């Protein structure tokens, strides 16, 4: 029997002479399992394959496992495949149990987590305290997938979805979840639905290629975001042209080096504070594998801005920069702290480029929006504005 194709056969990155396969996220597993289980619940027919269009635009073809259904409830699992990315969740089964329930106002799909899915116990994360650690995009994927099936089956009542990951509690101990205050299991993650193998050389090479293309097309300045959060902030909160921006992932230092080498005159970063607070300490690779010190740096900036000892201690106890910012705002220190941080960000970026080009940054948080910027950021932003 031929191996079933999952839709990722033509997707890979190259590391040296080796091709590294793409995979799919726990969020895709959860959405596909929920979609398949809903179909079997409403049609009362078993299916061998379920199709799921990911936010990345790649159509997956996944196999439901351990299928069980009756007229009131259905369940099945999708096996996680992280491709050739080193991933603690690879091979785990992600289950969805769906059942019929009443519809509340406009809501039709109700999502919760079961065994092996973590619970949020501290503020400052994407989901509120007490919620299952199922992030926003996977929740949207699950909701959309279930609604699609409901429309096809002309079902107008509610669907309750419970996601579980057997073994997730043990695997979570190998992740950052305990440090983040996520207890009892794993997080269901993924902003694109797809796992791209982490070959640093390949990622940096792809960043360089995009920079080269922009330079050849006449660009003299770069608008940069580390990732999706920055791009979303640009689109939703500024007059900057998001189409002219590019992503640099965690490679702030390498990106600055390449900007100098390729002859750009300046760069403007639009970055989440969780990434760029590290840059304010001279850390130029912002991935958590390389560095953290976020609370320590937030505390240092607060102390320079007049925070007392008790406030400093409270900041050191935080697990996210969003939580630290809440304390800083409570004590009326946001403007002073952000001025200090922006000054340090500018200082360390200038040190990296040895003053060869202009380096500016706009800093924001998901919770509090715009926070601050380096002194030359507003003027440099004019290079990327469009007419509304």
């Amino acid at each position: 029997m031929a191996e079933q194709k999952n839709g990722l056969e033509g997707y890979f990155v190259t590391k040296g002479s080796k091709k590294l396969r793409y995979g799919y996220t726990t969020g895709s597993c959860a959405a596909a399992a929920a979609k398949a289980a809903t179909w079997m619940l409403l049609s009362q027919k078993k299916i061998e394959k379920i199709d799921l269009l990911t936010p990345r635009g790649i159509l997956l073809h996944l196999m439901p496992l351990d299928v069980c259904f009756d007229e009131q409830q259905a369940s099945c699992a999708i096996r996680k495949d992280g491709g050739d990315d080193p991933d603690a969740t690879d091979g785990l089964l992600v289950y969805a149990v769906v059942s019929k329930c009443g519809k509340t106002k406009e809501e039709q799909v109700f999502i919760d987590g079961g065994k092996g899915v973590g619970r949020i116990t501290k503020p400052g994360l994407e989901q509120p305290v007490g919620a299952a650690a199922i992030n926003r995009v996977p929740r949207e994927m699950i909701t959309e997938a279930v609604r699609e099936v409901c429309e096809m089956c002309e079902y107008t009542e509610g669907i309750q979805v419970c996601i579980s990951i057997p073994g997730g509690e043990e695997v979570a101990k190998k992740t950052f979840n305990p440090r983040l205050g996520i207890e009892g299991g794993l997080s269901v993650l993924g902003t694109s639905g797809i796992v791209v193998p982490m070959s640093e050389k390949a990622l940096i090479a792809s960043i360089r290629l995009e920079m080269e293309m922009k330079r050849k097309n006449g660009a003299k300045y770069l608008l940069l975001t580390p990732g999706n959060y920055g791009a979303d902030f640009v689109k939703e909160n500024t007059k900057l042209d998001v189409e002219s921006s590019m992503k640099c992932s965690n490679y702030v230092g390498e990106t600055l080096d390449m900007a100098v080498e390729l002859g750009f005159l300046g760069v403007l970063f639009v970055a989440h504070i969780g990434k760029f607070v590290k840059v304010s300490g001279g850390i130029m690779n912002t991935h958590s594998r390389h560095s953290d010190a976020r609370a320590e740096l937030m505390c240092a900036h607060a102390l320079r801005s007049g925070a007392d000892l008790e406030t400093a201690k409270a900041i050191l106890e935080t697990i996210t920069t969003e939580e630290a910012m809440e304390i800083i705002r409570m004590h009326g220190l946001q403007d002073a702290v952000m001025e200090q941080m922006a000054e340090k960000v500018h200082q360390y970026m200038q040190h990296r480029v040895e003053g060869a080009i202009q380096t500016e940054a706009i800093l924001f948080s998901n919770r509090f929006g715009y926070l601050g910027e380096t002194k030359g950021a507003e003027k440099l932003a004019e290079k990327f504005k469009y007419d509304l």
Side-chain angles (χ1 to χ4, degrees):
M1 182 177 176
E3 184 179 349
Q4 180 177 324
K5 294 185 177 181
N6 65 13
L8 293 174
E9 288 72 25
Y11 294 92
F12 57 87
V13 296
T14 304
K15 184 176 182 180
S17 60
K18 187 177 180 182
K19 291 182 177 180
L20 303 178
R21 297 182 303 113
Y22 277 31
Y24 45 86
T25 64
T26 47
S28 289
C29 293
K35 184 178 182 180
T38 303
W39 173 259
M40 290 185 280
L41 173 66
L42 299 181
S43 70
Q44 289 295 292
K45 295 177 182 178
K46 184 177 180 180
I47 55 174
E48 302 296 330
K49 182 189 73 171
I50 193 71
D51 292 340
L52 181 77
L53 183 63
T54 62
R56 176 81 177 248
I58 296 174
L59 184 65
L60 297 175
H61 315 292
L62 303 177
M63 184 186 302
L65 304 171
D66 196 14
V67 170
C68 181
F69 62 90
D70 57 32
E71 292 184 358
Q72 292 301 315
Q73 183 173 285
S75 68
C76 67
I78 299 293
R79 190 176 298 280
K80 169 70 186 297
D81 181 356
D84 287 325
D85 192 59
D87 186 345
T89 65
D90 188 56
L92 291 179
L93 291 174
V94 180
Y95 279 81
V97 178
V98 304
S99 55
K100 297 176 181 178
C101 65
K103 192 173 180 180
T104 304
K105 295 182 180 179
E106 296 302 314
E107 289 191 67
Q108 185 178 25
V109 183
F110 306 89
I111 302 167
D112 201 0
K115 188 174 178 61
V117 173
R119 288 270 160 191
I120 309 297
T121 67
K122 295 182 179 181
L125 297 175
E126 192 180 87
Q127 298 300 314
V129 172
I134 303 172
N135 275 12
R136 176 182 60 84
V137 173
R139 285 178 183 269
E140 291 172 354
M141 292 171 67
I142 292 167
T143 299
E144 183 179 340
V146 170
R147 282 179 176 166
E148 180 186 337
V149 175
C150 289
E151 288 178 13
M152 290 173 59
C153 296
E154 298 182 347
Y155 175 81
T156 58
E157 293 301 301
I159 294 287
Q160 180 74 45
V161 180
C162 183
I163 305 298
S164 61
I165 308 175
E169 190 168 359
E170 282 301 310
V171 176
K173 294 175 183 177
K174 304 174 186 176
T175 71
F176 277 95
N177 276 14
R179 282 185 58 192
L180 296 174
I182 301 172
E183 296 183 359
L186 292 161
S187 300
V188 179
L189 303 170
T191 56
S192 70
I194 299 297
V195 176
V196 179
M198 288 295 291
S199 163
E200 288 202 357
K201 286 184 180 179
L203 283 173
I204 293 168
S206 68
I207 294 167
R208 182 188 179 89
L209 179 61
E210 188 172 357
M211 291 171 70
E212 288 175 343
M213 290 174 64
K214 286 182 176 295
R215 190 72 188 94
K216 287 176 182 176
N217 286 323
K220 296 180 180 179
Y221 297 89
L222 282 173
L223 178 59
L224 297 157
T225 64
N228 292 329
Y229 287 146
D232 289 345
F233 182 83
V234 168
K235 185 176 181 180
E236 296 169 11
N237 298 280
T238 77
K239 293 181 180 180
L240 303 179
D241 180 13
V242 72
E243 297 302 321
S244 70
S245 70
M246 61 171 285
K247 295 174 185 175
C248 65
S249 188
N250 295 294
Y251 308 108
V252 176
E254 288 86 349
T255 300
L256 288 170
D257 294 343
M258 291 185 290
V260 173
E261 182 188 344
L262 294 172
F264 286 94
L265 301 181
V267 295
L268 173 62
F269 289 88
V270 180
H272 188 277
I273 188 176
K275 291 290 186 185
F276 260 50
V277 68
K278 298 181 183 182
V279 178
S280 75
I283 297 166
M284 292 289 161
N285 186 320
T286 60
H287 197 285
S288 57
R289 288 198 312 265
H290 291 268
S291 60
D292 192 356
R294 290 169 299 171
E296 289 80 4
L297 286 164
M298 294 291 282
C299 179
H301 296 313
L303 285 170
R304 289 193 187 102
S305 304
D308 59 26
L309 185 57
E310 289 307 309
T311 303
K313 287 180 178 178
I315 292 170
L316 287 173
E317 291 299 315
T318 60
I319 57 172
T320 68
T321 48
E322 303 274 356
E323 188 183 357
M325 277 307 305
E326 184 172 11
I327 294 170
I328 288 166
R329 285 165 62 91
M330 249 169 41
H331 290 83
L333 294 170
Q334 176 174 318
D335 291 347
V337 166
M338 293 313 302
E339 184 178 346
Q340 286 281 340
M341 188 183 302
E343 182 182 335
K344 287 295 183 181
V345 165
H346 184 263
Q347 174 187 323
Y348 280 112
M349 289 198 298
Q350 280 294 295
H351 178 73
R352 180 75 179 221
V353 301
E354 297 181 342
I357 63 173
Q358 186 178 3
T359 56
E360 308 293 347
I362 296 171
L363 307 177
F364 70 92
S365 86
N366 293 338
R367 185 173 179 185
F368 301 113
Y370 170 84
L371 295 175
E373 61 190 49
T374 55
K375 288 182 179 178
E378 184 175 359
K379 188 173 181 180
L380 183 54
E382 295 293 331
K383 306 285 184 185
F384 308 103
K385 286 188 177 179
Y386 61 90
D387 295 326
L388 293 176

